[in-house]
Amino acid sequence: MMEDYGWAAYWSNGKPRPFILVHTASSTRKEVCIKVGAMWKSPGDTDMQGWKKAYRAGCRTTRIVVRPFGGTP
C-alpha cells in the first residue's frame, strides 16, 4: 500500500474533542504554520505572526499519515 507522512493543524481545545483541520495538510510543518497564519493574521502582520495568534488560541500541528482513499491501515 502506498502511504506518506505529512503535517496538519488541529484545535487542541475543540469541542467535543480535538479535531484536525484537513484543509491545512501539507508536507512540512512550516507550510502548515504559514497556511494557518495567513488566515489569522491582521493587516500588516506576517504569516508567522498570524500563526502565533492561532497558537495562543489553541491551534497546534501534528504528524499525519496520508493514504489513498479507501486504504486500510
Side-chain angles (χ1 to χ4, degrees):
M1 175 195 322
M2 193 167 118
E3 69 180 29
D4 201 358
Y5 296 91
W7 290 88
Y10 73 97
W11 282 107
S12 61
N13 54 4
K15 301 288 184 215
R17 61 180 182 258
F19 58 91
I20 293 176
L21 302 171
V22 178
H23 67 280
T24 64
S26 295
S27 58
T28 67
R29 182 181 178 278
K30 185 174 183 176
E31 288 175 5
V32 173
C33 294
I34 289 170
K35 283 182 181 182
V36 173
M39 293 182 277
W40 275 76
K41 69 180 180 179
S42 298
D45 285 352
T46 65
D47 291 340
M48 291 311 286
Q49 287 170 320
W51 165 249
K52 289 177 185 177
K53 288 179 185 178
Y55 186 89
R56 287 191 297 267
C59 192
R60 301 292 188 268
T61 58
T62 189
R63 292 280 285 165
I64 58 172
V65 177
V66 182
R67 293 186 184 104
F69 183 74
T72 58

